[in-house]
Amino acid sequence: MKLNKILVALLIVGMLSCGLSAVFAEEGTLSDGTKVTIPDGFSVLDTGSGIFTLVTEDQQNVITVMDEDVTTDAEKAKQDQVENGAEFIDDKTVTIGDTEVIAQHFTKSGFNFYGYLFKAGDKDYIVTYTSPDEIDVEDASTPVNQIISSLVGTTE
């Protein structure tokens, strides 16, 4: 009888801890109410109107997600970065889910800077990623792919 009570108590504690971890999964919210689950290793640094910023603990990797007053004009985005002192490396169009994403790569001050421009539904988005390391957005395990996939409604 005592063993049954202990097993029931452990089962209840286990169910509560599973439920609490789901409740505390970190999310970012865009101005239109779109929620994006934050990738492992990142935390929300700042949230503003139409933008939220994610950062790793060592502050070496930064992601911003913007959905207000953004353009999917790749040439304008490229020109803006070059005018701000970045060196343009390359750009390409990739597909994540069913969405075409323009991926631009720049360097500045020893860091790689990536800009991803795309439209999901009737909304324009820009996701940027700054890191000392190079990444491949087509790799589903990258944090940027995870964020873009959630915005376009896919899970890769």
Side-chain angles (χ1 to χ4, degrees), residues 12-66:
I12 290 171
V13 169
M15 288 172 40
L16 286 175
S17 65
C18 288
L20 290 176
S21 64
V23 169
F24 291 115
E26 201 167 6
E27 292 184 329
T29 304
L30 296 171
S31 60
D32 66 354
T34 303
K35 294 194 181 301
V36 179
T37 301
I38 307 307
D40 289 340
F42 284 83
S43 59
V44 176
L45 177 67
D46 187 29
T47 303
S49 178
I51 185 172
F52 66 86
T53 304
L54 313 171
V55 64
T56 53
E57 188 175 315
D58 63 5
Q59 298 183 355
Q60 292 290 304
N61 300 283
V62 178
I63 299 172
T64 58
V65 181
M66 297 168 269

Side-chain angles (χ1 to χ4, degrees), residues 60 85-87 105-113 130-134:
Q60 292 290 304
E87 178 186 347
H105 180 194
F106 303 86
T107 60
K108 184 177 179 181
S109 303
F111 280 85
N112 290 287
F113 175 79
T130 305
S131 174
D133 304 314
E134 291 187 20

